[in-house]
Amino acid sequence: MSVTVRVPAKVNLHLGVGGTRPDGYHELVSVFQSVSLFDTVTATGAPELSVTVAGEDTAAVPADHRNLAARAAALLAERIGVEPGVHLHIDKRIPVAGGMAGGSADAAAAIVACAALWGLEPDHEALHEVAVQVGSDVAFALLGGTAIGTGRGENLTPLTHCGRFHWVFALAHEGLSTPRVFVECDRLRAEAGTPPPEGPALDPAADFEAALASGDPARLAALLRNDLQGAALTIRPELADTLGSGLAAGALGALVSGSGPTCAFLVRDEEAARTVAAALVASGHCRSVRTAHGPVDGPAARVTTATDTTGTDRSSLYISQGAA
Ligand code: ATP
């Protein structure tokens, strides 16, 4: 039996970075939105855990136990007391090391696919707990939609009243290491004598919620902010040209996505998305361009909670609407 799960990328509409915690992570406040760029993960019963990866730009993706999807499958198996006998095939469309949490997305998809494969009762708490063990962004990747994340980004408050927004993403020629960007952010703050905010806050959160609920992209564009952008631009100064090209072509807002180097452009509608995408391609500043919309559901949002599973093929509770 095989289970295929489709999982979206994310963009941070707000990324506030605080100080380093005793465990080495930074204190964050983030507004995540899932967007319609998808990887798919297919889990097939097998004698042992293995991974294959297909798609663009996969040379940098480990096809072994270091793959976040494999780690997620192993942790889920351990938690529910089964052998991690599964082959995971990942079809990658989300840019690798692009600040769009592609690895976390694959981990989230693997959790849902393996839970279905191994006949686990739908249990959102168990899925969430395994996700948090794998990495900071995996919990949001499971859920999708739009949410505020605090802590490492794993304490989530979904924002359910949200209009539909249109995005353009400019993919860079080469990925950027997330830890390197955080180190650079700390270095720039130390150099400037600016201490990190004690507990970064989404201020004022009510403005964000109102802008999202209104569905007005101009209102949301005015609130976009990424504390890692300065660091990403210091490491890759050419990203400033990419951001400028999209804004000049009519984007309402532009920012580096997460730790970069993907640049995200918020646009008025699909027509504006096509115009901005064409201008970015013509500028020659990026490797390729994608258009997308958000929010979209993550794979766990489509898992149905069973009240009576007698005689039910449990995999259908996971993949009834979630199959790619
Ligand atoms: P984030 O936005 O969460 O900081 P990112 O989008 O910048 O992450 P990823 O694409 O998740 O970066 O990959 C970061 C690194 O993780 C890659 O360079 C790769 O070595 C490793 N990795 C492990 N598993 C995966 C996976 N399934 N897909 C992509 N990268 C993976």
Side-chain angles (χ1 to χ4, degrees):
M1 181 177 137
S2 283
V3 180
T4 296
V5 171
R6 190 172 78 145
V7 63
K10 63 83 184 161
V11 60
N12 300 82
L13 312 180
H14 175 103
L15 181 51
V17 179
T20 313
R21 318 188 313 182
D23 63 5
Y25 288 100
H26 286 75
E27 197 67 37
L28 303 177
V29 60
S30 186
V31 180
F32 297 107
Q33 181 159 94
S34 286
V35 294
S36 59
L37 298 182
F38 299 99
D39 280 357
T40 56
V41 176
T42 300
T44 308
E48 57 187 31
L49 182 53
S50 59
V51 184
T52 48
V53 188
E56 266 181 52
D57 196 21
T58 51
V61 180
D64 56 24
H65 65 281
R66 291 167 301 165
N67 194 292
L68 290 181
R71 280 181 50 197
L75 284 167
L76 180 69
E78 193 181 305
R79 184 188 167 108
I80 63 175
V82 300
E83 285 300 315
V86 63
H87 174 72
L88 298 168
H89 180 72
I90 306 174
D91 192 4
K92 282 208 79 72
R93 295 281 175 271
I94 302 173
V96 176
M100 299 193 78
S104 302
D106 297 343
I111 290 170
V112 172
C114 291
L117 192 68
W118 295 331
L120 182 69
E121 291 286 346
D123 175 350
H124 288 269
E125 209 173 297
L127 301 188
H128 177 84
E129 282 171 20
V130 172
V132 171
Q133 266 183 285
V134 181
S136 309
D137 287 344
V138 184
F140 176 72
L142 265 181
L143 198 65
T146 308
I148 299 175
T150 56
R152 291 189 279 131
E154 81 282 25
N155 302 321
L156 296 170
T157 307
L159 299 173
T160 46
H161 298 291
C162 187
R164 179 181 161 104
F165 294 94
H166 294 274
W167 293 94
V168 180
F169 295 97
L171 280 49
H173 291 282
E174 213 186 313
L176 207 44
S177 143
T178 304
R180 183 176 171 207
V181 177
F182 274 99
V183 167
E184 184 62 13
C185 177
D186 289 341
R187 194 191 67 76
L188 289 174
R189 281 175 167 169
E191 196 178 81
T194 323
E198 282 261 318
L202 180 62
D203 191 21
D207 282 4
F208 240 105
E209 288 172 30
L212 287 164
S214 75
D216 178 353
R219 221 168 136 182
L220 184 61
L223 298 176
L224 298 176
R225 172 182 148 181
N226 179 359
D227 284 358
L228 291 179
Q229 180 158 313
L233 290 178
T234 307
I235 301 170
R236 295 277 172 81
E238 66 275 18
L239 295 178
D241 297 329
T242 311
L243 294 171
S245 299
L247 288 170
L252 300 170
L255 82 175
V256 168
S257 177
S259 54
T262 305
C263 293
F265 301 90
L266 182 59
V267 294
R268 184 162 305 285
D269 51 24
E270 277 178 66
E271 195 187 329
R274 283 192 290 273
T275 306
V276 170
L280 285 165
V281 169
S283 76
H285 289 314
C286 47
R287 172 165 61 96
S288 59
V289 177
R290 305 271 189 279
T291 57
H293 63 267
V296 293
D297 280 345
R302 295 181 297 245
V303 173
T304 317
T305 304
T307 46
D308 176 9
T309 54
T310 321
T312 307
D313 168 10
R314 292 204 188 101
S315 67
S316 68
L317 301 171
Y318 288 86
I319 60 170
S320 52
Q321 301 158 57

